[in-house]
Amino acid sequence: AQKITQTQPGMFVQEKEAVTLDCTYDTSDQSYGLFWYKQPSSGEMIFLIYQGSYDEQNATEGRYSLNFQKARKSANLVISASQLGDSAMYFCAMREDTGRRALTFGSGTRLQVQP
Amino acid sequence: GAGVSQTPSNKVTEKGKYVELRCDPISGHTALYWYRQSLGQGPEFLIYFQGTGAADDSGLPNDRFFAVRPEGSVSTLKIQRTERGDSAVYLCASSLTIRYHYEQYFGPGTRLTVT
């Protein structure tokens, strides 16, 4: 069974600083994908970044990067140069290539960016 | 192009009533997913379709819940004899295929309130 753990219910960061949101996962599959989504107060789920289990390099998308440590089964999201608009819930999710093909989400981390 | 759309955006119904929630995926996306998000939690998987058939409905909580996708595009989630515990945001997502490395794009959700 797959499982996603986000141990930080809430995080604060000063504007323009970097912040790391933690995510660990558990799966017996060899092929899987890890995703981060942002959910602002408006409720929409916005895809941020993806990392495949076979990808050797950490994924990056603009100010977002994913610190992927396969042996430790962690997939932390790093947001650089935080902006006020980054304040939102952030969800880590995993999708296996076999078994259940839908996303399994963590419980989320609420990030608040302070001016 | 257009994103995933869901109607209605809000639905208030009385306990015991029947409701239908509609999802219109991104054109060309063969995979369609339904999730349910309770307050303060991450989305939880309900069912997903590959084409017209339900590939995995193991997340449906009981037989009051049913979903269809008769033509492989629009999907309807149907809830019979609604209960107050069904109150949540119902999210629909679509992806190009069910392969793990394709991101899922989410709709804005339907907020269901059962009184």
Side-chain angles (χ1 to χ4, degrees):
Chain A
Q2 51 181 310
K3 183 179 177 181
I4 298 286
T5 302
Q6 294 181 255
T7 58
Q8 305 155 315
M11 291 279 287
F12 289 90
V13 65
Q14 290 293 124
E15 195 176 7
K16 299 181 185 178
E17 292 186 350
V19 63
T20 297
L21 306 184
D22 295 340
C23 173
T24 58
Y25 62 92
D26 186 26
T27 179
S28 54
D29 260 25
Q30 297 302 309
S31 300
Y32 52 89
L34 296 157
F35 301 80
W36 279 90
Y37 284 84
K38 172 184 178 181
Q39 189 175 44
S41 56
S42 59
E44 61 187 307
M45 294 287 286
I46 303 168
F47 166 73
L48 295 178
I49 195 167
Y50 160 82
Q51 178 85 41
S53 58
Y54 293 114
D55 294 341
E56 295 185 351
Q57 292 194 337
N58 287 340
T60 60
E61 289 286 348
R63 294 187 298 111
Y64 304 107
S65 60
L66 201 153
N67 184 1
F68 181 47
Q69 298 186 45
K70 192 171 181 177
R72 297 180 58 186
K73 293 190 174 179
S74 73
N76 298 340
L77 176 70
V78 180
I79 305 174
S80 62
S82 296
Q83 302 172 357
L84 295 177
D86 293 336
S87 295
M89 282 291 289
Y90 288 81
F91 291 98
C92 178
M94 179 172 65
R95 185 176 174 188
E96 295 173 330
D97 198 30
T98 61
R100 175 172 290 178
R101 300 288 185 92
L103 290 167
T104 296
F105 287 86
S107 55
T109 296
R110 180 170 296 282
L111 177 65
Q112 296 187 54
V113 181
Q114 298 176 318
Chain B
V4 178
S5 61
Q6 292 186 247
T7 55
S9 55
N10 280 284
K11 177 71 177 178
V12 180
T13 190
E14 293 180 349
K15 179 176 177 296
K17 298 290 189 181
Y18 168 83
V19 296
E20 289 189 352
L21 311 179
R22 176 190 167 105
C23 172
D24 200 339
I26 293 172
S27 178
H29 281 193
T30 62
L32 185 148
Y33 305 79
W34 283 99
Y35 297 86
R36 179 167 72 173
Q37 187 175 23
S38 300
L39 194 63
Q41 299 181 19
E44 293 181 320
F45 164 74
L46 294 176
I47 183 171
Y48 83 85
F49 293 85
Q50 173 63 18
T52 60
D56 184 349
D57 64 358
S58 62
L60 295 177
N62 51 59
D63 60 6
R64 295 187 297 106
F65 289 75
F66 188 71
V68 296
R69 194 186 185 198
E71 298 179 354
S73 179
V74 171
S75 176
T76 305
L77 178 66
K78 308 180 181 191
I79 310 174
Q80 299 177 322
R81 304 183 304 280
T82 51
E83 300 177 355
R84 293 193 179 88
D86 299 335
S87 296
V89 176
Y90 289 81
L91 295 166
C92 176
S94 71
S95 67
L96 196 59
T97 78
I98 60 172
R99 292 301 309 281
Y100 69 93
H101 54 280
Y102 285 98
E103 62 264 33
Q104 295 182 17
Y105 295 90
F106 282 80
T110 294
R111 182 176 298 278
L112 175 67
T113 303
V114 182
T115 62

